[in-house]
Amino acid sequence: NGIKLWVKMTDRAGNTTEDSIAFSIDKTVPTMSVTYDNNDDDDEFAGFYKAERVATIAINERNFRAGDVWMQITNTDGSIPVLSDWTTLKDETDPNKTIHKATLRYQADGDYTFDIRYADKAGNAAAAIAQHAFTIDRTAPVIAVAFDNNQSTNGQYYRSGRTATITITEHNFETSRIQITGTATDDGAPKGYPAASAWVSKGDVHTATVGFGADAQYTFAVAYTDKA
């Protein structure tokens, strides 16, 4: 860097002129990495995270200029993170090993994609990094159960059947994560337990029903864990 070439010429009559030019040679290809502080995604659904993620971008480059970093971030459901200021850790022994870092904090729920490219002032391009795609889901699902018949004796005995409508409010819905448990007995003898209907979804609201029609003493519970 900072090479200066100076030329002075004198003709036979003693007239002189001089000029100089400054330039730099940069043949070293920069290196780039992106790492995350949170890699604890769901055991079954890869790429789903229930907590925020902070991405750290690190670029090794002598002739760094922040404007040469190209990034594209998308979020299907909301806001996208803002890149922090760049910090520089200079290597006095080997300037090619000088590191420049910035961070992105993914806090909002949504399905993200992240692309980044970098080439230095001399046009040397860092090795391509494949697109990152993942989901942040920090919102707990909400379950509600409503019965069509609440006319009971002593709060436990009903003269006619009851239908329970289960409502789960969840963006990243997955039916395999629903647990409906219960028992049905008649004078202590087990009876068949009713099955839930198919789930019907309208946006983030998902409903199904369970019909309790046969004579029996029932217990009924619902639990749900989302993809994150």
Side-chain angles (χ1 to χ4, degrees):
N1 277 12
I3 301 168
K4 186 175 182 181
L5 174 64
W6 173 78
V7 179
K8 180 179 181 181
M9 185 175 184
T10 305
D11 66 15
R12 293 182 179 182
N15 303 301
T16 63
T17 185
E18 60 185 271
D19 199 3
S20 64
I21 184 173
F23 60 95
S24 297
I25 301 295
D26 185 350
K27 300 192 296 181
T28 304
V29 176
T31 61
M32 178 171 58
S33 66
V34 180
T35 58
Y36 294 87
D37 66 334
N38 173 16
N39 295 298
D40 187 19
D41 56 352
D42 186 85
D43 292 337
E44 185 178 1
F45 295 96
F48 283 80
Y49 299 85
K50 66 180 181 180
E52 68 176 41
R53 303 184 84 196
V54 177
T56 299
I57 304 165
I59 298 176
N60 285 61
E61 169 57 38
R62 171 196 295 259
N63 297 302
F64 180 76
R65 184 169 53 194
D68 293 331
V69 181
W70 177 90
M71 289 192 311
Q72 185 175 59
I73 305 170
T74 66
N75 180 5
T76 58
D77 301 317
S79 61
I80 60 175
V82 177
L83 186 70
S84 72
D85 293 334
W86 289 91
T87 60
T88 298
L89 181 61
K90 192 171 183 180
D91 191 316
E92 300 292 349
T93 304
D94 185 354
N96 288 320
K97 294 181 180 179
T98 296
I99 301 175
H100 313 271
K101 290 185 176 182
T103 58
L104 291 163
R105 185 177 295 274
Y106 294 88
Q107 294 177 298
D109 283 10
D111 303 316
Y112 290 93
T113 64
F114 170 73
D115 293 276
I116 186 169
R117 294 196 298 267
Y118 175 73
D120 64 19
K121 294 178 181 180
N124 300 303
I129 292 178
Q131 183 184 80
H132 293 182
F134 57 91
T135 298
I136 300 293
D137 183 354
R138 302 170 64 193
T139 304
V142 177
I143 300 177
V145 177
F147 289 90
D148 63 341
N149 173 18
N150 294 304
Q151 300 298 317
S152 67
T153 302
N154 297 327
Q156 185 175 1
Y157 294 90
Y158 296 84
R159 293 176 57 186
S160 57
R162 306 182 80 195
T163 298
T165 299
I166 307 166
T167 301
I168 298 177
T169 303
E170 166 59 36
H171 186 66
N172 296 299
F173 187 64
E174 171 58 39
T175 56
S176 67
R177 291 282 178 91
I178 301 166
Q179 294 178 317
I180 299 175
T181 57
T183 60
T185 58
D186 188 7
D187 288 334
K191 298 192 67 175
Y193 199 82
S197 70
W199 286 89
V200 177
S201 298
K202 292 184 178 179
D204 291 347
V205 179
H206 317 275
T207 58
T209 58
V210 180
F212 300 92
D215 286 3
Q217 184 176 22
Y218 294 97
T219 63
F220 170 63
V222 183
Y224 176 69
T225 301
D226 67 18
K227 288 182 177 181

